[in-house]
Amino acid sequence: MLAWNIMNEPWAAKIWGNPEQKRTAEKFVRHYFGLVRELKLEAPLTFSATFFDRCATLEDEVDVICYHSYATDLERWTG
């Protein structure tokens, strides 16, 4: 196994814009990071984010940053 992806895109666009939903999603993902860490697996842990600022939200939990974008133009990827 290469890595465990704890959750794919935990902050959908509507959730990210709502502070209460954003906190709830972060708490949910942190909870599952904790549960998986209790298994003492050797594989690194990550979650998938679609924007760089969302990667920073859980950077203290992840072993590997997993970022993907739906942007189709190079400027948005490098921006």
Side-chain angles (χ1 to χ4, degrees):
M1 177 176 308
L2 297 177
W4 279 68
N5 187 358
I6 300 303
M7 187 172 189
N8 183 53
E9 300 178 25
W11 298 287
K14 291 181 181 180
I15 291 174
W16 187 257
N18 180 312
E20 184 177 336
Q21 289 180 354
K22 182 179 172 184
R23 284 189 299 275
T24 299
E26 180 178 347
K27 186 177 178 180
F28 177 85
V29 176
R30 286 186 185 279
H31 172 76
Y32 280 93
F33 266 103
L35 288 177
V36 173
R37 288 210 190 277
E38 287 178 9
L39 297 174
K40 300 194 184 310
L41 305 171
E42 292 186 25
L45 303 182
T46 190
F47 76 98
S48 298
T50 54
F51 296 95
F52 286 123
D53 60 344
R54 297 175 194 190
C55 293
T57 303
L58 291 167
E59 68 183 339
D60 59 320
E61 294 282 3
V62 301
D63 299 312
V64 178
I65 293 174
C66 181
Y67 169 77
H68 62 270
S69 176
Y70 296 103
T72 57
D73 58 318
L74 181 60
E75 183 177 311
R76 287 188 61 198
W77 269 93
T78 59

